[in-house]
Amino acid sequence: MKERFPIIIFLVAQSALLVIELFTSYDTFGRQNALALTNVVSVITLLFFDRWLRRRGSRLARLTFVLAAGAVWLDALGNFQHLYAGFWWWDRLTHAVGGMALSAVFIDFFLSYRATGKLQAGWGWAAWMGVLVGQLVGSLYEISEWLGDFWFDTHRVQGPYDTPHDLFQNLVGGLVVLVLMRMFRRRAQ
């Protein structure tokens, strides 16, 4: 039960968020559904990935669940309360936490492969690969924002420096989670 506790807390938090997203009126119907879909996809992906790792003798770190929930909640809160428009730093905060969550997932993945012996690399190299893949995924998301604006006139990119700021915050988040995971690893030893 103790090792399932982070998953249970994660599911309760994300279920509560889904109820808010679906049953309150804070934006257009389409945007509300898009936000709810982001929540559901993140939950399913994280649970599937954790199960996949467990079948291989590993699991996602508790920190990864906290960061993933935090990233989705902060983004939703920014939309509920219109914080993106009200505070210049909100978008940067959400990208930093999102960069932390993405990097944490991939750090867990590479460390899992290292633990099974399928990846012949030290802890640092495995963790760095996780950060780099997390940055790649964050970059692909930024490209999707630009393509959405280009093809569908979505107005997701706000000004000429939005994308570089987002990429920088993703990188800062990835580096912060790398340091945090290193600190937690030392405490566990």
Side-chain angles (χ1 to χ4, degrees):
M1 179 67 176
K2 184 179 178 183
E3 69 180 45
R4 295 274 187 213
F5 188 70
I7 295 171
I8 293 168
I9 296 298
F10 176 72
L11 286 174
V12 168
Q14 297 314 105
S15 297
L17 179 59
L18 187 61
V19 167
I20 294 167
E21 290 168 336
L22 293 177
F23 298 108
T24 61
S25 180
Y26 59 89
D27 209 332
T28 65
F29 180 75
R31 287 180 56 94
Q32 283 186 227
N33 284 331
L35 201 58
L37 183 62
T38 299
N39 183 3
V40 170
V41 168
S42 70
V43 167
I44 290 171
T45 302
L46 214 59
L47 292 176
F48 173 78
F49 191 60
D50 184 60
R51 185 169 187 209
W52 186 81
L53 285 176
R54 285 177 187 273
R55 288 183 177 169
R56 284 150 183 80
S58 188
R59 66 176 188 254
L60 290 174
R62 290 178 181 170
L63 179 62
T64 303
F65 281 105
V66 170
L67 291 171
V72 175
W73 267 91
L74 287 172
D75 180 50
L77 188 60
N79 284 288
F80 297 157
Q81 300 297 317
H82 307 287
L83 299 174
Y84 285 108
F87 300 98
W88 65 268
W89 49 268
W90 192 262
D91 185 54
R92 294 187 184 159
L93 172 67
T94 58
H95 276 278
V97 176
M100 291 173 78
L102 274 173
S103 292
V105 166
F106 289 108
I107 288 170
D108 285 343
F109 171 76
F110 284 108
L111 291 178
S112 170
Y113 260 68
R114 179 181 175 269
T116 63
K118 293 179 182 177
L119 178 63
Q120 300 298 317
W123 188 94
W125 280 106
W128 268 110
M129 286 192 290
V131 171
L132 294 175
V133 173
Q135 298 310 299
L136 171 67
V137 172
S139 299
L140 292 174
Y141 179 80
E142 291 302 317
I143 291 168
S144 78
E145 281 188 344
W146 179 79
L147 288 174
D149 282 2
F150 186 73
W151 287 331
F152 304 111
D153 199 29
T154 58
H155 304 287
R156 292 170 64 197
V157 177
Q158 299 294 314
Y161 299 108
D162 181 50
T163 299
H165 284 152
D166 293 350
L167 291 171
F168 179 72
Q169 294 306 319
N170 288 345
L171 178 61
V172 168
L175 296 175
V176 167
V177 81
L178 180 66
V179 169
L180 288 174
M181 286 190 152
R182 180 74 173 170
M183 288 172 27
F184 286 139
R185 179 175 178 262
R186 284 191 179 155
R187 281 190 187 156
Q189 290 177 346

